[in-house]
Amino acid sequence: MIQAVNVTLRLGKKALFEDVNIKFTEGNCYGLIGANGAGKSTFLKILSGQLEPTNGEVVITPGQRLSVLEQDHFKYDEYPVLDTVIMGNARLYEIMKEKEAIYAKEDFSDEDGIRASELEAEFAEMDGWEAESDAASLLNGLGIETEYHNSLMKDLNGSQKVKVLLAKALFGNPDILLLDEPTNHLDLDAIAWLEDFLIDFENTVIVVSHDRYFLNKVCTHIADIDYGKIQLYAGNYDFWYESSQLLIKQMKEANKKKEEKIKELQEFISRFSANASKSKQATSRKRALEKIQLDEIRPSSRKYPYIDFRPDREIGNEVLTVEGISKTIGGEKVLNNISFIMGHNDKIAFVGGNELAKTTLFQILMGELEPDEGTYKWGVTTSQAYFPKDSSKEFDNDLTIADWLMGYSPVKDITYVRGFLGRMLFAGEDGVKKVRVLSGGEKVRCLLSKMMISGANCLILDEPTNHLDMESITALNNALIKFPGVALFSCRDHQFVQTTANRIMEILPDGSLIDKITTYDEYLASDAMARKRTIYTADKEDDEN
């Protein structure tokens, strides 16, 4: 059990949290949600002891071990991968290293023997002999193959490091598990594995995530941060949303009835207060009127951007033809004879773990890269707008947001441009902010403004939900669902893919393509998908043997 008791955190004059009291109990998974800036990550730091509250305290059941998903991807660069995972149980790792140091001594004394015996007993009690196999099992589940287990952390790429740090947090069955955006940089297979792990996990979990499907799968409760308070709801994310909307509706209806009663009493008082025979009744009505209090209904601090992609022209039947495209990068063939024809109603999701292949294909289709082999052809009625995964070059300048967007606008009018910025929650003085200093989420909203203002009828989006809050993801999801043009996109958000795509493509590790006209859930459940995974698992085992 972990509990916040009268926790207040002040940043200058502003109170981020005010007298928060909440208890997280064993056997439950709590989704911590709230608008950007509400303090989700900050609250996790308070719970973990990384940040001291201004007032109040955090109480943890004595003897329980707390584990945190760390965000510093370079902290363990000089350590082997397996060692990093086992460090998730600090005491167990200390015992292992102390044992190694004692046994490495050339002048092994009686005292050393006694100490080693004590350590061995504690090591066995903590299931230390299973530590390496347990760590390896976590790594394999998250998609870190055995060949990397003894590598140094610095030799892994960013996505692999994230998975190792996640395995470190999960290692050793912690009593309390704090996870801040654990699905970031995970492929969909790794997310599915993590969902299953947390569903079976019997201790306390508190997780921050913008992935609605993930929260629906794993959460037993939702802790909603708004206006410096945390309200606890039983159920998953969808249940929270429905119940919170129902609560507001009920409060509005109750207020409406109260307002009608107030009006009725006021009319009676006005009519009969001067009438001697009715004066007692009027006085009684005044007292009743004074007792009626309307419920305070504060609109949520959450803000939803208005995203609406409107093509300037209708798309024709000929959209995109890709024939035999191949591309090798750094000696690895990431695209191998890719061919497909895109229809005028297609919204294609590129899924699977081969991220470089997806990005490479998008860059080729946008003319940023040349294929080694093969061709592609856009239809004459098409116009394209592109959301790149890496947009750093786009914002490497000293332009203001308004001037930056003006450069892409077909209408060179500041009022017109500011209208698009306003829809994306850039209000007032925000327009004069320099694009160089924008946050990740602000840059994404700028890129979406650019795509809206283009009037394109074909959208290509490479991981657009990265850095977005849940409200913006929902707005983008809904915009793509109703978009009358075509779209090619990659995204790790399961619900986003399931509700938007009518065609699924996966580029396999050898660079070849699986292409199915189906929903994402149907694709995952298909026999073809199961057979493919079995084949690749067998191939990997053969390679290892």
Side-chain angles (χ1 to χ4, degrees), residues 373-434:
E373 301 174 23
T375 61
Y376 67 92
K377 182 180 179 182
W378 290 101
V380 294
T381 62
T382 65
S383 55
Q384 298 80 40
Y386 179 41
F387 183 104
K389 179 184 290 187
D390 181 5
S391 60
S392 54
K393 292 182 180 178
E394 188 83 59
F395 299 101
D396 187 17
N397 58 71
D398 291 318
L399 293 174
T400 65
I401 298 176
D403 289 340
W404 177 86
L405 187 58
M406 180 75 81
Y408 298 104
S409 175
V411 178
K412 303 303 180 183
D413 177 77
I414 191 63
T415 303
Y416 179 78
V417 169
R418 284 187 178 274
F420 282 89
L421 292 176
R423 296 175 191 173
M424 298 306 292
L425 308 181
F426 293 110
E429 295 301 314
D430 287 339
V432 299
K433 287 175 69 173
K434 297 291 180 70

Short mmCIF file of all heavy atoms in Angstrom, two decimals, residues 373-434:
data_model
loop_
_atom_site.label_atom_id
_atom_site.label_comp_id
_atom_site.label_asym_id
_atom_site.label_seq_id
_atom_site.Cartn_x
_atom_site.Cartn_y
_atom_site.Cartn_z
N GLU A 373 15.92 0.26 -55.94
CA GLU A 373 15.20 -0.36 -57.05
C GLU A 373 13.73 -0.03 -56.93
O GLU A 373 13.24 0.30 -55.86
CB GLU A 373 15.37 -1.89 -57.02
CG GLU A 373 16.81 -2.38 -57.12
CD GLU A 373 16.88 -3.89 -56.93
OE1 GLU A 373 15.86 -4.57 -57.17
OE2 GLU A 373 17.95 -4.38 -56.53
N GLY A 374 13.02 -0.13 -58.07
CA GLY A 374 11.58 0.04 -58.05
C GLY A 374 11.12 1.47 -58.29
O GLY A 374 11.94 2.41 -58.34
N THR A 375 9.82 1.62 -58.40
CA THR A 375 9.23 2.92 -58.72
C THR A 375 7.94 3.14 -57.91
O THR A 375 7.37 2.19 -57.37
CB THR A 375 8.87 3.03 -60.22
OG1 THR A 375 7.90 2.02 -60.53
CG2 THR A 375 10.10 2.87 -61.08
N TYR A 376 7.50 4.38 -57.86
CA TYR A 376 6.19 4.70 -57.30
C TYR A 376 5.60 5.84 -58.12
O TYR A 376 6.33 6.64 -58.73
CB TYR A 376 6.29 5.10 -55.83
CG TYR A 376 7.03 6.40 -55.58
CD1 TYR A 376 6.34 7.60 -55.51
CD2 TYR A 376 8.42 6.42 -55.44
CE1 TYR A 376 6.99 8.80 -55.29
CE2 TYR A 376 9.09 7.61 -55.23
CZ TYR A 376 8.37 8.80 -55.15
OH TYR A 376 9.04 9.98 -54.94
N LYS A 377 4.27 5.91 -58.16
CA LYS A 377 3.61 6.95 -58.93
C LYS A 377 2.34 7.40 -58.22
O LYS A 377 1.47 6.59 -57.90
CB LYS A 377 3.25 6.43 -60.33
CG LYS A 377 2.59 7.49 -61.22
CD LYS A 377 2.24 6.93 -62.58
CE LYS A 377 1.56 7.99 -63.46
NZ LYS A 377 1.18 7.42 -64.78
N TRP A 378 2.25 8.71 -57.94
CA TRP A 378 1.05 9.30 -57.37
C TRP A 378 0.07 9.66 -58.48
O TRP A 378 0.47 10.08 -59.58
CB TRP A 378 1.38 10.57 -56.60
CG TRP A 378 2.13 10.34 -55.31
CD1 TRP A 378 3.47 10.49 -55.10
CD2 TRP A 378 1.56 9.92 -54.07
NE1 TRP A 378 3.78 10.19 -53.80
CE2 TRP A 378 2.63 9.83 -53.13
CE3 TRP A 378 0.27 9.59 -53.65
CZ2 TRP A 378 2.43 9.45 -51.81
CZ3 TRP A 378 0.07 9.22 -52.34
CH2 TRP A 378 1.14 9.15 -51.43
N GLY A 379 -1.23 9.51 -58.22
CA GLY A 379 -2.24 9.90 -59.18
C GLY A 379 -2.26 11.41 -59.40
O GLY A 379 -1.87 12.19 -58.52
N VAL A 380 -2.74 11.82 -60.54
CA VAL A 380 -2.69 13.25 -60.90
C VAL A 380 -3.62 14.09 -60.03
O VAL A 380 -3.44 15.31 -59.92
CB VAL A 380 -3.06 13.44 -62.40
CG1 VAL A 380 -2.01 12.82 -63.29
CG2 VAL A 380 -4.45 12.86 -62.70
N THR A 381 -4.61 13.46 -59.40
CA THR A 381 -5.54 14.23 -58.57
C THR A 381 -5.08 14.32 -57.11
O THR A 381 -5.77 14.92 -56.28
CB THR A 381 -6.94 13.60 -58.59
OG1 THR A 381 -6.87 12.28 -58.03
CG2 THR A 381 -7.48 13.53 -60.00
N THR A 382 -3.94 13.70 -56.80
CA THR A 382 -3.52 13.64 -55.40
C THR A 382 -2.64 14.83 -55.02
O THR A 382 -1.92 15.39 -55.84
CB THR A 382 -2.73 12.35 -55.11
OG1 THR A 382 -1.51 12.35 -55.87
CG2 THR A 382 -3.54 11.12 -55.45
N SER A 383 -2.71 15.18 -53.75
CA SER A 383 -1.78 16.13 -53.15
C SER A 383 -1.44 15.60 -51.76
O SER A 383 -2.31 15.06 -51.08
CB SER A 383 -2.40 17.52 -53.04
OG SER A 383 -3.64 17.48 -52.34
N GLN A 384 -0.17 15.71 -51.38
CA GLN A 384 0.30 15.03 -50.18
C GLN A 384 0.70 16.02 -49.08
O GLN A 384 1.25 17.09 -49.37
CB GLN A 384 1.52 14.14 -50.49
CG GLN A 384 1.24 13.02 -51.48
CD GLN A 384 1.25 13.50 -52.91
OE1 GLN A 384 2.08 14.33 -53.30
NE2 GLN A 384 0.34 12.99 -53.72
N ALA A 385 0.43 15.62 -47.85
CA ALA A 385 0.93 16.33 -46.67
C ALA A 385 1.61 15.28 -45.79
O ALA A 385 1.08 14.18 -45.59
CB ALA A 385 -0.19 17.02 -45.92
N TYR A 386 2.78 15.65 -45.22
CA TYR A 386 3.64 14.66 -44.55
C TYR A 386 3.94 15.09 -43.12
O TYR A 386 4.30 16.24 -42.87
CB TYR A 386 4.94 14.53 -45.35
CG TYR A 386 5.96 13.58 -44.79
CD1 TYR A 386 5.62 12.34 -44.26
CD2 TYR A 386 7.32 13.91 -44.84
CE1 TYR A 386 6.57 11.46 -43.78
CE2 TYR A 386 8.29 13.04 -44.36
CZ TYR A 386 7.91 11.82 -43.83
OH TYR A 386 8.87 10.95 -43.34
N PHE A 387 3.77 14.13 -42.21
CA PHE A 387 4.16 14.32 -40.82
C PHE A 387 5.37 13.42 -40.55
O PHE A 387 5.20 12.20 -40.40
CB PHE A 387 3.00 13.94 -39.89
CG PHE A 387 3.29 14.18 -38.42
CD1 PHE A 387 2.74 15.26 -37.77
CD2 PHE A 387 4.12 13.33 -37.70
CE1 PHE A 387 2.99 15.49 -36.43
CE2 PHE A 387 4.39 13.55 -36.37
CZ PHE A 387 3.83 14.63 -35.73
N PRO A 388 6.60 13.98 -40.49
CA PRO A 388 7.78 13.14 -40.29
C PRO A 388 7.98 12.76 -38.83
O PRO A 388 7.57 13.50 -37.93
CB PRO A 388 8.92 14.05 -40.77
CG PRO A 388 8.43 15.43 -40.46
CD PRO A 388 6.93 15.40 -40.65
N LYS A 389 8.60 11.62 -38.60
CA LYS A 389 8.90 11.22 -37.23
C LYS A 389 9.92 12.17 -36.62
O LYS A 389 9.80 12.57 -35.46
CB LYS A 389 9.43 9.79 -37.19
CG LYS A 389 9.78 9.31 -35.78
CD LYS A 389 10.38 7.92 -35.79
CE LYS A 389 9.38 6.88 -36.15
NZ LYS A 389 9.92 5.50 -35.99
N ASP A 390 10.93 12.53 -37.38
CA ASP A 390 11.96 13.47 -36.92
C ASP A 390 11.74 14.81 -37.60
O ASP A 390 11.99 14.96 -38.79
CB ASP A 390 13.36 12.93 -37.23
CG ASP A 390 14.47 13.86 -36.75
OD1 ASP A 390 14.16 14.88 -36.10
OD2 ASP A 390 15.65 13.58 -37.03
N SER A 391 11.28 15.78 -36.83
CA SER A 391 10.97 17.10 -37.40
C SER A 391 11.97 18.16 -36.96
O SER A 391 11.69 19.36 -37.06
CB SER A 391 9.56 17.52 -36.99
OG SER A 391 9.46 17.61 -35.57
N SER A 392 13.13 17.75 -36.47
CA SER A 392 14.07 18.71 -35.89
C SER A 392 14.51 19.78 -36.90
O SER A 392 14.64 20.95 -36.55
CB SER A 392 15.30 17.97 -35.34
OG SER A 392 15.88 17.13 -36.33
N LYS A 393 14.71 19.38 -38.16
CA LYS A 393 15.13 20.36 -39.18
C LYS A 393 14.04 21.39 -39.43
O LYS A 393 14.32 22.55 -39.73
CB LYS A 393 15.48 19.62 -40.47
CG LYS A 393 16.72 18.75 -40.39
CD LYS A 393 17.02 18.10 -41.73
CE LYS A 393 18.27 17.21 -41.65
NZ LYS A 393 18.54 16.53 -42.94
N GLU A 394 12.80 20.95 -39.31
CA GLU A 394 11.66 21.83 -39.57
C GLU A 394 11.64 23.03 -38.63
O GLU A 394 11.21 24.13 -39.00
CB GLU A 394 10.37 21.02 -39.39
CG GLU A 394 9.11 21.72 -39.79
CD GLU A 394 8.82 21.63 -41.27
OE1 GLU A 394 8.71 20.51 -41.79
OE2 GLU A 394 8.70 22.70 -41.89
N PHE A 395 12.15 22.84 -37.41
CA PHE A 395 12.07 23.89 -36.39
C PHE A 395 13.43 24.47 -36.03
O PHE A 395 13.55 25.17 -35.01
CB PHE A 395 11.38 23.33 -35.14
CG PHE A 395 9.97 22.86 -35.40
CD1 PHE A 395 9.70 21.51 -35.55
CD2 PHE A 395 8.93 23.76 -35.51
CE1 PHE A 395 8.41 21.06 -35.79
CE2 PHE A 395 7.64 23.34 -35.76
CZ PHE A 395 7.37 21.98 -35.90
N ASP A 396 14.42 24.20 -36.84
CA ASP A 396 15.77 24.72 -36.59
C ASP A 396 15.92 26.10 -37.22
O ASP A 396 16.69 26.31 -38.16
CB ASP A 396 16.81 23.75 -37.13
CG ASP A 396 18.23 24.14 -36.74
OD1 ASP A 396 18.38 24.95 -35.79
OD2 ASP A 396 19.19 23.65 -37.37
N ASN A 397 15.15 27.05 -36.72
CA ASN A 397 15.19 28.42 -37.23
C ASN A 397 14.65 29.36 -36.15
O ASN A 397 14.19 28.90 -35.09
CB ASN A 397 14.39 28.55 -38.53
CG ASN A 397 12.93 28.14 -38.35
OD1 ASN A 397 12.15 28.84 -37.71
ND2 ASN A 397 12.57 26.98 -38.91
N ASP A 398 14.69 30.64 -36.41
CA ASP A 398 14.27 31.64 -35.43
C ASP A 398 12.92 32.28 -35.76
O ASP A 398 12.60 33.37 -35.28
CB ASP A 398 15.33 32.74 -35.31
CG ASP A 398 16.61 32.22 -34.66
OD1 ASP A 398 16.49 31.48 -33.68
OD2 ASP A 398 17.71 32.53 -35.15
N LEU A 399 12.11 31.60 -36.56
CA LEU A 399 10.80 32.12 -36.91
C LEU A 399 9.83 32.00 -35.73
O LEU A 399 9.96 31.11 -34.89
CB LEU A 399 10.22 31.35 -38.10
CG LEU A 399 10.94 31.50 -39.45
CD1 LEU A 399 10.32 30.55 -40.47
CD2 LEU A 399 10.85 32.94 -39.94
N THR A 400 8.86 32.92 -35.69
CA THR A 400 7.76 32.76 -34.74
C THR A 400 6.80 31.69 -35.29
O THR A 400 6.87 31.34 -36.47
CB THR A 400 6.99 34.07 -34.55
OG1 THR A 400 6.35 34.42 -35.80
CG2 THR A 400 7.92 35.19 -34.12
N ILE A 401 5.91 31.21 -34.42
CA ILE A 401 4.96 30.19 -34.87
C ILE A 401 4.12 30.72 -36.03
O ILE A 401 3.91 30.03 -37.03
CB ILE A 401 4.03 29.77 -33.71
CG1 ILE A 401 4.84 29.14 -32.58
CG2 ILE A 401 2.97 28.80 -34.20
CD1 ILE A 401 4.00 28.78 -31.35
N ALA A 402 3.63 31.96 -35.90
CA ALA A 402 2.77 32.53 -36.94
C ALA A 402 3.52 32.68 -38.26
O ALA A 402 3.00 32.34 -39.33
CB ALA A 402 2.23 33.88 -36.48
N ASP A 403 4.76 33.17 -38.21
CA ASP A 403 5.54 33.33 -39.44
C ASP A 403 5.90 31.98 -40.06
O ASP A 403 5.92 31.82 -41.29
CB ASP A 403 6.82 34.12 -39.15
CG ASP A 403 6.53 35.59 -38.88
OD1 ASP A 403 5.44 36.06 -39.27
OD2 ASP A 403 7.38 36.27 -38.26
N TRP A 404 6.19 31.01 -39.19
CA TRP A 404 6.51 29.67 -39.68
C TRP A 404 5.34 29.08 -40.46
O TRP A 404 5.50 28.56 -41.57
CB TRP A 404 6.86 28.78 -38.49
CG TRP A 404 7.14 27.34 -38.83
CD1 TRP A 404 8.32 26.80 -39.21
CD2 TRP A 404 6.20 26.26 -38.81
NE1 TRP A 404 8.18 25.44 -39.43
CE2 TRP A 404 6.89 25.08 -39.20
CE3 TRP A 404 4.84 26.17 -38.49
CZ2 TRP A 404 6.27 23.84 -39.27
CZ3 TRP A 404 4.22 24.93 -38.59
CH2 TRP A 404 4.93 23.79 -38.97
N LEU A 405 4.12 29.16 -39.90
CA LEU A 405 2.95 28.60 -40.57
C LEU A 405 2.58 29.42 -41.80
O LEU A 405 2.11 28.87 -42.80
CB LEU A 405 1.78 28.52 -39.60
CG LEU A 405 0.53 27.80 -40.12
CD1 LEU A 405 0.86 26.36 -40.52
CD2 LEU A 405 -0.57 27.80 -39.05
N MET A 406 2.82 30.73 -41.75
CA MET A 406 2.53 31.59 -42.90
C MET A 406 3.30 31.12 -44.13
O MET A 406 2.80 31.20 -45.27
CB MET A 406 2.90 33.04 -42.58
CG MET A 406 2.65 34.01 -43.72
SD MET A 406 0.91 34.42 -43.93
CE MET A 406 0.73 35.66 -42.64
N GLY A 407 4.51 30.59 -43.91
CA GLY A 407 5.33 30.10 -45.02
C GLY A 407 4.70 28.95 -45.77
O GLY A 407 5.06 28.68 -46.92
N TYR A 408 3.77 28.24 -45.14
CA TYR A 408 3.11 27.10 -45.79
C TYR A 408 1.68 27.41 -46.19
O TYR A 408 1.01 26.56 -46.78
CB TYR A 408 3.11 25.90 -44.84
CG TYR A 408 4.49 25.42 -44.47
CD1 TYR A 408 5.03 25.69 -43.21
CD2 TYR A 408 5.26 24.72 -45.38
CE1 TYR A 408 6.31 25.26 -42.87
CE2 TYR A 408 6.54 24.27 -45.05
CZ TYR A 408 7.05 24.55 -43.79
OH TYR A 408 8.32 24.13 -43.47
N SER A 409 1.19 28.58 -45.86
CA SER A 409 -0.21 28.91 -46.10
C SER A 409 -0.43 29.40 -47.53
O SER A 409 0.31 30.27 -48.02
CB SER A 409 -0.68 29.99 -45.12
OG SER A 409 -2.00 30.39 -45.43
N PRO A 410 -1.46 28.87 -48.20
CA PRO A 410 -1.78 29.39 -49.55
C PRO A 410 -2.38 30.79 -49.48
O PRO A 410 -2.38 31.52 -50.47
CB PRO A 410 -2.81 28.37 -50.07
CG PRO A 410 -3.43 27.79 -48.84
CD PRO A 410 -2.36 27.78 -47.80
N VAL A 411 -2.90 31.17 -48.31
CA VAL A 411 -3.47 32.50 -48.11
C VAL A 411 -2.53 33.28 -47.19
O VAL A 411 -2.36 32.93 -46.02
CB VAL A 411 -4.88 32.42 -47.49
CG1 VAL A 411 -5.43 33.81 -47.25
CG2 VAL A 411 -5.80 31.59 -48.35
N LYS A 412 -1.89 34.31 -47.71
CA LYS A 412 -0.90 35.07 -46.93
C LYS A 412 -1.59 36.17 -46.12
O LYS A 412 -1.46 37.36 -46.39
CB LYS A 412 0.15 35.68 -47.87
CG LYS A 412 0.88 34.67 -48.72
CD LYS A 412 1.58 33.59 -47.89
CE LYS A 412 2.31 32.57 -48.74
NZ LYS A 412 2.92 31.49 -47.96
N ASP A 413 -2.35 35.71 -45.16
CA ASP A 413 -3.10 36.63 -44.29
C ASP A 413 -2.93 36.16 -42.86
O ASP A 413 -3.23 35.00 -42.53
CB ASP A 413 -4.58 36.63 -44.69
CG ASP A 413 -5.41 37.53 -43.78
OD1 ASP A 413 -5.35 38.76 -43.95
OD2 ASP A 413 -6.08 36.98 -42.88
N ILE A 414 -2.46 37.04 -41.98
CA ILE A 414 -2.14 36.65 -40.61
C ILE A 414 -3.38 36.20 -39.84
O ILE A 414 -3.31 35.28 -39.00
CB ILE A 414 -1.42 37.81 -39.87
CG1 ILE A 414 -0.84 37.31 -38.54
CG2 ILE A 414 -2.36 38.98 -39.69
CD1 ILE A 414 0.22 36.25 -38.68
N THR A 415 -4.53 36.82 -40.11
CA THR A 415 -5.76 36.42 -39.42
C THR A 415 -6.14 35.00 -39.80
O THR A 415 -6.56 34.19 -38.95
CB THR A 415 -6.91 37.38 -39.77
OG1 THR A 415 -6.52 38.71 -39.42
CG2 THR A 415 -8.17 37.00 -39.02
N TYR A 416 -5.99 34.68 -41.10
CA TYR A 416 -6.28 33.33 -41.59
C TYR A 416 -5.38 32.30 -40.91
O TYR A 416 -5.84 31.26 -40.44
CB TYR A 416 -6.07 33.31 -43.11
CG TYR A 416 -6.31 31.97 -43.77
CD1 TYR A 416 -7.59 31.51 -44.03
CD2 TYR A 416 -5.22 31.19 -44.17
CE1 TYR A 416 -7.80 30.29 -44.67
CE2 TYR A 416 -5.41 29.97 -44.80
CZ TYR A 416 -6.70 29.53 -45.05
OH TYR A 416 -6.90 28.32 -45.68
N VAL A 417 -4.09 32.62 -40.82
CA VAL A 417 -3.12 31.71 -40.22
C VAL A 417 -3.38 31.55 -38.73
O VAL A 417 -3.34 30.43 -38.19
CB VAL A 417 -1.68 32.22 -40.47
CG1 VAL A 417 -0.67 31.45 -39.63
CG2 VAL A 417 -1.34 32.11 -41.95
N ARG A 418 -3.66 32.66 -38.05
CA ARG A 418 -3.91 32.58 -36.61
C ARG A 418 -5.17 31.77 -36.30
O ARG A 418 -5.30 31.19 -35.22
CB ARG A 418 -4.04 33.99 -36.02
CG ARG A 418 -2.69 34.69 -35.86
CD ARG A 418 -2.83 35.99 -35.11
NE ARG A 418 -1.55 36.65 -34.89
CZ ARG A 418 -0.74 36.41 -33.87
NH1 ARG A 418 -1.10 35.51 -32.96
NH2 ARG A 418 0.40 37.05 -33.74
N GLY A 419 -6.09 31.70 -37.25
CA GLY A 419 -7.27 30.87 -37.07
C GLY A 419 -6.91 29.40 -36.93
O GLY A 419 -7.44 28.68 -36.07
N PHE A 420 -5.96 28.95 -37.76
CA PHE A 420 -5.50 27.56 -37.67
C PHE A 420 -4.73 27.32 -36.37
O PHE A 420 -4.86 26.27 -35.75
CB PHE A 420 -4.62 27.21 -38.87
CG PHE A 420 -5.40 26.92 -40.12
CD1 PHE A 420 -5.74 27.94 -41.00
CD2 PHE A 420 -5.81 25.63 -40.41
CE1 PHE A 420 -6.48 27.68 -42.15
CE2 PHE A 420 -6.53 25.36 -41.55
CZ PHE A 420 -6.88 26.38 -42.43
N LEU A 421 -3.93 28.31 -35.98
CA LEU A 421 -3.18 28.17 -34.73
C LEU A 421 -4.12 28.13 -33.53
O LEU A 421 -3.90 27.38 -32.57
CB LEU A 421 -2.19 29.33 -34.59
CG LEU A 421 -1.02 29.34 -35.59
CD1 LEU A 421 -0.17 30.59 -35.40
CD2 LEU A 421 -0.16 28.09 -35.42
N GLY A 422 -5.17 28.93 -33.57
CA GLY A 422 -6.13 28.94 -32.48
C GLY A 422 -6.81 27.59 -32.32
O GLY A 422 -7.05 27.14 -31.19
N ARG A 423 -7.13 26.94 -33.44
CA ARG A 423 -7.74 25.62 -33.37
C ARG A 423 -6.81 24.62 -32.66
O ARG A 423 -7.26 23.67 -32.04
CB ARG A 423 -8.04 25.09 -34.77
CG ARG A 423 -9.05 25.89 -35.54
CD ARG A 423 -9.17 25.36 -36.96
NE ARG A 423 -9.94 26.25 -37.82
CZ ARG A 423 -10.08 26.08 -39.12
NH1 ARG A 423 -9.51 25.03 -39.71
NH2 ARG A 423 -10.78 26.92 -39.84
N MET A 424 -5.51 24.86 -32.79
CA MET A 424 -4.53 23.95 -32.19
C MET A 424 -4.01 24.47 -30.85
O MET A 424 -2.92 24.14 -30.42
CB MET A 424 -3.36 23.73 -33.16
CG MET A 424 -3.78 23.08 -34.47
SD MET A 424 -4.69 21.54 -34.24
CE MET A 424 -3.38 20.51 -33.59
N LEU A 425 -4.83 25.32 -30.20
CA LEU A 425 -4.59 25.79 -28.83
C LEU A 425 -3.42 26.75 -28.70
O LEU A 425 -2.89 26.94 -27.61
CB LEU A 425 -4.38 24.59 -27.87
CG LEU A 425 -5.46 23.50 -27.93
CD1 LEU A 425 -5.14 22.40 -26.93
CD2 LEU A 425 -6.84 24.10 -27.64
N PHE A 426 -3.03 27.39 -29.79
CA PHE A 426 -2.05 28.48 -29.73
C PHE A 426 -2.84 29.79 -29.73
O PHE A 426 -3.28 30.26 -30.78
CB PHE A 426 -1.09 28.44 -30.92
CG PHE A 426 -0.18 27.26 -30.93
CD1 PHE A 426 -0.35 26.25 -31.87
CD2 PHE A 426 0.85 27.14 -30.00
CE1 PHE A 426 0.49 25.15 -31.90
CE2 PHE A 426 1.70 26.04 -30.02
CZ PHE A 426 1.51 25.04 -30.97
N ALA A 427 -3.03 30.35 -28.56
CA ALA A 427 -3.88 31.54 -28.44
C ALA A 427 -3.06 32.78 -28.12
O ALA A 427 -1.99 32.69 -27.51
CB ALA A 427 -4.92 31.32 -27.35
N GLY A 428 -3.56 33.92 -28.55
CA GLY A 428 -2.97 35.21 -28.17
C GLY A 428 -1.50 35.33 -28.48
O GLY A 428 -1.05 35.22 -29.62
N GLU A 429 -0.70 35.52 -27.42
CA GLU A 429 0.74 35.76 -27.56
C GLU A 429 1.52 34.51 -27.98
O GLU A 429 2.70 34.60 -28.31
CB GLU A 429 1.31 36.29 -26.24
CG GLU A 429 0.78 37.66 -25.83
CD GLU A 429 1.08 38.72 -26.89
OE1 GLU A 429 2.23 38.76 -27.38
OE2 GLU A 429 0.16 39.48 -27.24
N ASP A 430 0.87 33.33 -27.96
CA ASP A 430 1.58 32.12 -28.37
C ASP A 430 2.11 32.23 -29.79
O ASP A 430 3.13 31.63 -30.14
CB ASP A 430 0.64 30.90 -28.29
CG ASP A 430 0.37 30.49 -26.86
OD1 ASP A 430 1.18 30.86 -25.98
OD2 ASP A 430 -0.63 29.80 -26.61
N GLY A 431 1.40 33.01 -30.63
CA GLY A 431 1.80 33.13 -32.02
C GLY A 431 3.16 33.74 -32.24
O GLY A 431 3.77 33.55 -33.29
N VAL A 432 3.67 34.47 -31.22
CA VAL A 432 4.98 35.11 -31.39
C VAL A 432 6.09 34.29 -30.73
O VAL A 432 7.24 34.72 -30.71
CB VAL A 432 4.96 36.55 -30.82
CG1 VAL A 432 3.95 37.39 -31.56
CG2 VAL A 432 4.67 36.54 -29.32
N LYS A 433 5.77 33.13 -30.19
CA LYS A 433 6.81 32.26 -29.66
C LYS A 433 7.69 31.75 -30.79
O LYS A 433 7.21 31.49 -31.89
CB LYS A 433 6.19 31.07 -28.91
CG LYS A 433 5.57 31.42 -27.57
CD LYS A 433 4.87 30.23 -26.95
CE LYS A 433 5.82 29.16 -26.51
NZ LYS A 433 5.12 28.08 -25.75
N LYS A 434 8.96 31.59 -30.52
CA LYS A 434 9.88 31.06 -31.53
C LYS A 434 9.71 29.54 -31.62
O LYS A 434 9.60 28.85 -30.60
CB LYS A 434 11.33 31.39 -31.16
CG LYS A 434 11.64 32.89 -31.11
CD LYS A 434 11.61 33.48 -32.51
CE LYS A 434 11.93 34.98 -32.50
NZ LYS A 434 13.34 35.25 -32.17
#
